[in-house]
Amino acid sequence: MQKLYIADDNVEFAEYLAHVATRDGWEAEICSNGLKLLEKLKKGDEPALLLVDINMPHMDGIEVISGIAALNRPMRLRFMTGGGAPSMEAAKLIAQARDIDVGDSIHKPLSRDFLRDLLQTEAGALAQMQAQSL
C-alpha cells in the first residue's frame, strides 16, 4: 500500500483527496499545516507521496522544504495552490536545489480523474524509488 501525506488547511479539500486516494488503495494522512506534516513524516521510513499546499498557517509549503530535506526517507513532492503560479515555481526550485524529487505542480480545484491519474503516475515513481534503494 502506497503512503500519501496531504498538507492542506482546507479540510474539505484534503478530505476529498484522501477519500479518492484511499479508494485507489493508498494510505492517506491529512495534516493541516507543515509542522504537522513534518511530525508525521518523522514517524515512518517507507516511500511516500506528499501533496503540499503552498499557503498554510504556521508553516507553509515553502517553509516545510528544509524539514523535508533533512529526512532520510524516499519521497516525492507535489506542490498545490489555488492561487498564482510564481510561489509554486519558487517552491519547486527551492526543493529541487535541496535534491527533493518534485513533480509537476497542482492547481486547485482538480477533478477526480486528474487525481486518480496523478496517483497512478506517482505510484509508479515511488515503486522505482523503492527498487533503486534496495
Side-chain angles (χ1 to χ4, degrees):
M1 180 176 288
Q2 299 287 346
K3 186 74 173 177
L4 170 66
Y5 293 90
I6 302 159
D8 198 313
D9 60 320
N10 181 329
V11 176
E12 293 83 16
F13 181 70
E15 287 176 349
Y16 160 71
L17 296 176
H19 175 75
V20 172
T22 301
R23 291 189 62 145
D24 279 6
W26 289 74
E27 181 184 343
E29 296 227 22
I30 297 173
C31 310
S32 60
N33 61 55
L35 287 172
K36 291 182 180 183
L37 172 64
L38 291 176
E39 288 173 12
K40 289 186 179 189
L41 287 173
K42 290 175 184 175
K43 295 178 183 175
D45 61 358
E46 72 275 21
L49 170 61
L50 316 178
L51 300 181
V52 180
D53 187 19
I54 290 294
N55 300 308
M56 293 181 290
H58 306 296
M59 181 181 277
D60 66 24
I62 294 174
E63 294 169 325
V64 80
I65 293 169
S66 294
I68 291 170
L71 298 173
N72 185 20
R73 179 177 186 173
M75 292 177 281
R76 294 257 313 149
L77 174 61
R78 296 275 189 125
F79 289 110
M80 306 182 293
T81 190
S87 58
M88 283 206 327
E89 289 305 314
K92 189 172 181 177
L93 289 171
I94 293 166
Q96 288 171 335
R98 294 186 173 233
D99 293 325
I100 298 172
D101 198 355
V102 183
D104 291 338
S105 299
I106 301 169
H107 296 274
K108 301 180 201 177
L110 55 142
S111 71
R112 180 179 51 114
D113 290 338
F114 176 85
L115 177 57
R116 292 182 79 203
D117 288 345
L118 179 141
L119 292 172
Q120 185 176 13
T121 298
E122 290 297 338
L126 288 174
Q128 284 182 337
M129 289 177 85
Q130 190 168 19
Q132 290 173 352
S133 68
L134 296 178

